[in-house]
Structures are given as structure tokens and as C-alpha cells.
């Protein structure tokens, strides 16, 4: 228990510090590196909770895909950070107002949150002895939380479509695939049959 407590405090402190560094450092590359460190420590916390599958997902999906993608995007984009810092003061009042509203909302939620023993018993579902945590997680997601899981998938699909629409650019002189034209074209438009004499070319 002492080793687990020390590991918990170690992972938790490093995760909180690295998460704060994500939003405070000026270099975006360093910010992404601190984000990766935060994900690794969060995965360590999942391992301490006995959720090895969630820890693996966090490392593989977030660290191996999303954070690396952020790194490449930040390093490939030619961003003028001097101009971004010059306009910081003009957006400061709006940022402070939004932060104050969010802080008040979080204070109301945290102050009004009450967790009774009955609610804890209703939420907590013990894992059977003959089932590992991966099977238990799958049974829980696709039974009790199936509709919420599907709704989360729809939200992600909407976000993906929105990102594609926002980044889509039509350029002149660039040939693009037109599915409707390909489906509607006739045989006469695509094939031409010629009778070639014997011993001669076309």
C-alpha cells in the first residue's frame, strides 16, 4: 500500500505540473511535449486503478497518434508567434470574462455535488471474478451506456465532418474526382470501338 500511495502521488503531481506547463509555456513544441508527459502519467494512474486496457488506449491513441500529430502540425506550420503575442492584450478582457464565467459554473457544480452511499452503490458495478477488466468494460459500454456511447460517436463524426468542411479548399486547375459524373456517364462517352485492319495499326 505504501508503494502504491507513493506511485499515485508521483504520477498525480507530475501530471498536474505537466498539465499546467501545457498552457503556460510559450514554445508550442514544448507544450506538446508536456502534453505527452501528462498522458503518460495519466496512463500510470489508470494502471494503479487496475484499468490496464484504458492505460494502453491512452498511450497508443493519444500519445502515439494525436500528440504526435500535434507535434508534426506545430513543427510544419509557419506561425508568426510575434504577431500572435502582439494581439494578446486586445483579447485579454474577453478571455478574463470567459474564464470567470467558467470558474463560477465549476464552483456551482462542485458546491452542489453530493454523492450519497445509495448513489455510489448504484454507480459502482463490481467486476465478476471470472471476467477481466476488458470484458467488463465492454459489457458495461454496450449494455448500460450503449446510447451514450453511440451519441459520443456521433459527436466525433460531426467534429470530423466539420474539420473537413473548414479545411476544404477549391483551387483552379486542380483535377478533382466527381462521383456523380462518374456514376452518370454512359458507355458511349467512355468507349470507342474501332475496326482495325489486319496487319495495320490504328
Amino acid at each position: 500500500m505504501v508503494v502504491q500511495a507513493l506511485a499515485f502521488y508521483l504520477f498525480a503531481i507530475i501530471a498536474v505540473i505537466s498539465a499546467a506547463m501545457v498552457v503556460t509555456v510559450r514554445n508550442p513544441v514544448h507544450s506538446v511535449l508536456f502534453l505527452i508527459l501528462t498522458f503518460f502519467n495519466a496512463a500510470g494512474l489508470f494502471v494503479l486503478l487496475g484499468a490496464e486496457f484504458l492505460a494502453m488506449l491512452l498511450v497508443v491513441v493519444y500519445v502515439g497518434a494525436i500528440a504526435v500529430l500535434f507535434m508534426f502540425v506545430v513543427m510544419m506550420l509557419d506561425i508568426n508567434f510575434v504577431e500572435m503575442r502582439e494581439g494578446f492584450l486586445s483579447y485579454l478582457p474577453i478571455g478574463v470574462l470567459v474564464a470567470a464565467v467558467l470558474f463560477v459554473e465549476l464552483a456551482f457544480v462542485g458546491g452542489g455535488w453530493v454523492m450519497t452511499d445509495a448513489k455510489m452503490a448504484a454507480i459502482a458495478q463490481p467486476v465478476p471474478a471470472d471476467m477481466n477488466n476488458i470484458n467488463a468494460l465492454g459489457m458495461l459500454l454496450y449494455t448500460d451506456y450503449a446510447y451514450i456511447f453511440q451519441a459520443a460517436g456521433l459527436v466525433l463524426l460531426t467534429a470530423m465532418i466539420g474539420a473537413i468542411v473548414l479545411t476544404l479548399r477549391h483551387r483552379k486547375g486542380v483535377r478533382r474526382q466527381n462521383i456523380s459524373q462518374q456514376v452518370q456517364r454512359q458507355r458511349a462517352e467512355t468507349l470507342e470501338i474501332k475496326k482495325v485492319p489486319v496487319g495495320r495499326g490504328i
Side-chain angles (χ1 to χ4, degrees), residues 64-100:
I66 298 177
V68 175
L69 177 63
F70 286 169
M71 177 69 73
F72 278 105
V73 169
V74 168
M75 294 177 65
M76 290 176 64
L77 290 179
D78 188 13
I79 303 175
N80 192 349
F81 296 102
V82 178
E83 294 181 358
M84 293 178 61
R85 294 192 186 99
E86 289 178 354
F88 174 75
L89 294 178
S90 60
Y91 296 105
L92 184 59
I94 300 176
V96 172
L97 178 62
V98 173

Side-chain angles (χ1 to χ4, degrees), residues 125-133 135-136 139:
Q125 296 190 9
V127 180
D130 57 344
M131 182 181 297
N132 55 22
N133 58 358
N135 293 334
M139 290 292 295

